[in-house]
Amino acid sequence: MSVSVQEAAERLELNPGRVRRLVSQGLIEGQKIGGRWLVDEAAISERLEASARPGRPLSPRSAWGLLWAADNRPMPWLAPRERSRARQRARLWPLDEWSWACRHRAVAYKLRAHPSMLQPLLADPRVARGGASVRQLAVDLLALGDAELYVRQADAPTVIDEYALIPSQQPNVVLRVPPGDLWLFDNGEAPWPVVVVDLLDARDDRSVRAANDLARRMRAR
């Protein structure tokens, strides 16, 4: 699977010109089709993984491995050695590492919806609730008038269009889009490690406290 230079640049934290040069020099696998450079997604993951260590971002595959391992969920997309490493990270890495380590788990879009569209959007079967929008985990944080959601890469453009979501400096919707082959949700709610990372991403004191409280409760089960 290939992605645009712009998406590759965002995930690698490089400017697009640098990504084009890396591809043209054969340092990242990609190809030019119709005058447009496309970057191999596996090559992006490998480059991210090569530099990953505690305190540094993981590749999307490894980030989701950490989050699924923390909830003792199966990780069929990882090789056995990678699964063992994911379990070790989930067990040993401090919670305040998780947000930074998992920052490449999804591309986050900060958007604004008309207030009348929020409840229908939250109820849409194509999305999974995350962050303070979850209902089943009793997160100690109210998110009235906001929506934190995950959506499949293939569904994102349609959802954005149908609900007239627009980029905004005052968003009331955070829409997170994982890589196409890493849609792992089996229902409309994100599991607790994902919610914890979503809350940590907000960085405000109330969200961080809620994240730590949720993690403490879930680990004590």
Side-chain angles (χ1 to χ4, degrees):
M1 181 176 176
S2 298
V3 301
S4 69
V5 165
Q6 182 63 42
E7 181 176 341
E10 290 174 358
R11 289 166 59 181
L12 292 169
E13 297 185 324
L14 300 171
N15 66 60
R18 172 66 172 156
V19 173
R20 290 189 191 94
R21 286 193 294 274
L22 289 171
V23 176
S24 65
Q25 293 166 3
L27 299 176
I28 296 181
E29 187 175 348
Q31 57 186 322
K32 198 171 187 178
I33 300 177
R36 180 184 179 213
W37 283 108
L38 296 174
V39 184
D40 184 75
E41 190 165 36
I44 297 172
S45 296
E46 289 171 3
R47 190 175 180 89
L48 291 170
E49 185 67 38
S51 63
R53 63 179 185 270
R56 298 287 299 276
L58 297 170
S59 71
R61 294 174 73 255
S62 295
W64 287 104
L66 165 62
L67 298 173
W68 251 231
D71 199 31
N72 297 312
R73 291 174 175 245
M75 298 166 280
W77 68 94
L78 296 179
R81 182 178 297 179
E82 293 175 309
R83 293 173 202 160
S84 177
R85 191 178 302 133
R87 295 186 188 100
Q88 184 178 45
R89 287 168 177 156
R91 185 174 67 255
L92 299 178
W93 282 14
L95 199 63
D96 56 13
E97 289 277 4
W98 287 20
S99 176
W100 175 251
C102 295
R103 64 180 302 182
H104 295 307
R105 70 191 183 280
V107 178
Y109 297 93
K110 295 183 178 181
L111 307 165
R112 186 147 195 93
H114 188 276
S116 66
M117 291 288 100
L118 283 175
Q119 286 307 311
L121 176 59
L122 285 161
D124 194 303
R126 293 170 294 183
V127 305
R129 292 180 180 230
S133 293
V134 295
R135 295 168 294 185
Q136 299 174 4
L137 291 173
V139 173
D140 186 20
L141 186 68
L142 292 176
L144 297 175
D146 292 316
E148 288 191 66
L149 305 166
Y150 284 84
V151 64
R152 291 179 188 270
Q153 192 176 67
D155 290 333
T158 305
V159 169
I160 290 171
D161 182 61
E162 286 182 8
Y163 292 95
L165 304 178
I166 59 173
S168 175
Q169 296 297 316
Q170 296 181 310
N172 58 0
V173 176
V174 176
L175 199 64
R176 294 185 173 94
V177 184
D181 59 342
L182 287 172
W183 181 257
L184 306 173
F185 302 110
D186 53 10
N187 58 41
E189 298 268 333
W192 73 262
V194 178
V195 175
V196 163
V197 173
D198 294 344
L199 294 172
L200 291 173
D201 282 355
R203 295 188 178 89
D204 64 272
D205 290 345
R206 291 181 61 219
S207 296
V208 171
R209 283 198 301 271
N212 281 278
D213 176 69
L214 175 60
R216 184 170 55 254
R217 287 189 286 110
M218 300 307 291
R219 285 169 161 171
R221 289 183 303 175

